[in-house]
Amino acid sequence: AVVSTQRTESSGINAEYGGYNPKDPHCLVGGQYNGQLAFWDTRKGSQPIEVSAISASHSDPLYKVIFLTSKTGTECFTTSTDGQVLWWDIRKMAEPTETLILDITKKGKPTLGGISLEYESTMPTKFMVGTEQGTILSCNRKAKSPADRIVASFSGHYGPVYALQRNPFFPKNFLTVGDWTARVWSEDLRDSSIMWTKFHNSYLTDGCWSPVRPAVFFTSRMDGCLDVWDYMFKQSDPTLSLQVCDEALNCLSIQEGGSLMACGSHSGNVTLLELSESLSQQQRNEKATVTQIFERETKREKILESRYREMKLKERAKSQQEEKNPEDDEENPEELVEEAEKNFWFTVEQEKAGIEKKEREAEK
């Protein structure tokens, strides 16, 4: 049964994404389609306590909001396809406390639109942004200058990055979901992911790691299927594919204990699934095995990346040499005739000398 329903101030404004405050289960925030951020307290009714001003909010739909680890427990940050990341204090939502422009060209204008966010409380100054262009940005909130906040970018998806999450056991490795694939990355490699799923026939919509098993992650699809991937069992195909419904699955959320999963569909239905013990209990030597898998795949990709760069350098050097000496590559007919004549007369002289030697020996 529905415990409570939280509403936006206007019935014409849809809520895009919401999240509870980890320090206060009565408080939650929600991003709206018009770019505003709303704050509710379930003890005070279904209407929001406060909503950010339209002039200070995102100009596109607000797609993701995450609470930060702070002393007050009232700070959160948001992103939108308007190309901004905004930080808020829910006690004063008249305007954001900080702003970051998603600009990898460092010209001060948004060049990428935000779709997803990742924040790990053990690394409070770092965060990641998944964009609608398929690029993942690694950022540092406390960089020396605003231009240096975007530390690195990772490219690999052909469409919006709908899900982005660090592995709970190996924060250096993170999962992304976009287009028809899910990919596992290492922060040490920027040009390529270290592992990826096959290209599905249906678009992927969401994904998350298991909080208890480092080798397991889940993905949802537009055709209503939930895929369970277990790298301890196999890496090329999902361990389990479950048809949850006959419409698109838009989002996933897994319980902290790892035994229950909720799947949200396109029409607003929520399906609660109970996972088996093999998927909700860590296997023997699993962490060590996953460490070896990630290290092996990272090393392999580094070797391939190094080899690719080497080939590109050779091709560049060759093209530059050809540009400098284009006539060297063209064969001169006169030179070819001259060389052929030299070879011919050399052969004739050799044969003549041989014949004369034989005649002298015969006379003796």
Side-chain angles (χ1 to χ4, degrees):
V2 177
V3 178
S4 66
T5 302
Q6 309 305 313
R7 304 182 185 278
T8 57
E9 285 187 322
S10 171
S11 59
I13 299 175
N14 297 326
E16 281 295 300
Y17 183 87
Y20 279 94
N21 187 335
K23 287 192 174 183
D24 188 349
H26 299 287
C27 297
L28 70 152
V29 290
Q32 300 182 162
Y33 197 77
N34 67 347
Q36 289 180 287
L37 179 68
F39 162 57
W40 289 268
D41 187 329
T42 57
R43 295 165 295 190
K44 298 181 180 180
S46 61
Q47 294 296 328
I49 301 297
E50 193 170 356
V51 180
S52 62
I54 292 180
S55 58
S57 303
H58 292 283
S59 56
D60 278 5
L62 195 163
Y63 282 106
K64 187 74 173 182
V65 53
I66 297 180
F67 271 100
L68 300 170
T69 302
S70 62
K71 293 180 180 179
T72 61
T74 58
E75 295 180 34
C76 62
F77 70 129
T78 61
T79 193
S80 165
T81 48
D82 65 355
Q84 296 184 99
V85 176
L86 304 179
W87 282 265
W88 305 86
D89 189 325
I90 58 175
R91 296 173 299 180
K92 293 193 297 183
M93 294 176 62
E95 60 181 10
T97 57
E98 289 182 52
T99 301
L100 170 66
I101 303 297
L102 299 180
D103 174 30
I104 55 177
T105 62
K106 297 185 179 181
K107 294 182 179 179
K109 295 181 179 180
T111 57
L112 299 170
I115 291 286
S116 54
L117 291 172
E118 208 292 326
Y119 173 75
E120 172 57 50
S121 58
T122 58
M123 298 181 285
T125 64
K126 293 185 177 182
F127 64 96
M128 303 184 81
V129 184
T131 69
E132 64 177 339
Q133 289 81 7
T135 301
I136 302 98
L137 303 178
S138 177
C139 308
N140 187 347
R141 186 182 178 187
K142 299 300 181 182
K144 293 181 180 179
S145 66
D148 296 329
R149 283 188 176 185
I150 299 177
V151 179
S153 63
F154 305 82
S155 298
H157 286 288
Y158 301 103
V161 179
Y162 290 116
L164 170 60
Q165 186 188 15
R166 292 184 185 273
N167 188 297
F169 299 87
F170 306 100
K172 186 188 291 186
N173 299 101
F174 56 94
L175 171 73
T176 61
V177 172
D179 53 63
W180 302 270
T181 63
R183 295 174 178 270
V184 178
W185 304 75
S186 170
E187 284 189 334
D188 297 334
L189 278 171
R190 300 183 183 181
D191 293 336
S192 173
S193 52
I194 61 171
M195 304 176 78
W196 52 88
T197 66
K198 63 181 181 181
F199 278 77
H200 294 81
N201 293 326
S202 184
Y203 216 69
L204 299 190
T205 56
D206 200 3
C208 65
W209 289 103
S210 166
V212 293
R213 288 203 52 199
V216 173
F217 66 91
F218 308 86
T219 58
S220 59
R221 306 203 311 244
M222 286 284 286
D223 59 3
C225 276
L226 170 70
D227 289 331
V228 182
W229 297 81
D230 185 351
Y231 280 160
M232 291 283 287
F233 183 64
K234 55 182 176 180
Q235 299 175 17
S236 57
D237 293 295
T239 304
L240 173 66
S241 291
L242 179 65
Q243 186 74 42
V244 178
C245 59
D246 295 327
E247 59 182 340
L249 284 179
N250 285 351
C251 57
L252 300 174
S253 182
I254 191 167
Q255 176 206 31
E256 288 184 6
S259 60
L260 297 175
M261 168 163 281
C263 307
S265 73
H266 180 70
S267 62
N269 295 320
V270 178
T271 304
L272 186 63
L273 305 173
E274 183 175 3
L275 304 178
S276 65
E277 289 185 1
S278 61
L279 291 173
S280 57
Q281 293 183 6
Q282 193 170 134
Q283 306 297 302
R284 185 179 179 183
N285 298 324
E286 183 171 352
K287 285 186 70 175
T289 302
V290 174
T291 299
Q292 293 175 358
I293 292 173
F294 285 166
E295 288 180 351
R296 180 194 69 208
E297 295 301 318
T298 301
K299 185 177 180 181
R300 179 180 65 84
E301 284 299 320
K302 282 183 177 179
I303 293 171
L304 291 173
E305 185 179 313
S306 176
R307 177 60 178 158
Y308 176 74
R309 287 178 178 174
E310 183 181 335
M311 291 173 63
K312 293 291 287 184
L313 286 172
K314 286 183 178 179
E315 289 178 5
R316 188 182 302 170
K318 184 179 178 181
S319 62
Q320 289 176 351
Q321 187 66 26
E322 289 174 352
E323 288 175 1
K324 289 180 180 178
N325 306 305
E327 67 279 356
D328 292 351
D329 297 329
E330 298 177 1
E331 296 180 337
N332 191 329
E334 293 180 0
E335 291 179 357
L336 291 175
V337 171
E338 185 179 348
E339 185 69 22
E341 287 181 351
K342 285 182 180 179
N343 292 336
F344 172 76
W345 289 115
F346 177 77
T347 305
V348 169
E349 291 296 330
Q350 289 290 102
E351 291 182 358
K352 185 178 178 182
I355 292 171
E356 291 175 351
K357 184 178 180 182
K358 288 181 180 179
E359 290 177 348
R360 285 195 299 269
E361 291 176 352
E363 288 177 356
K364 291 180 180 179

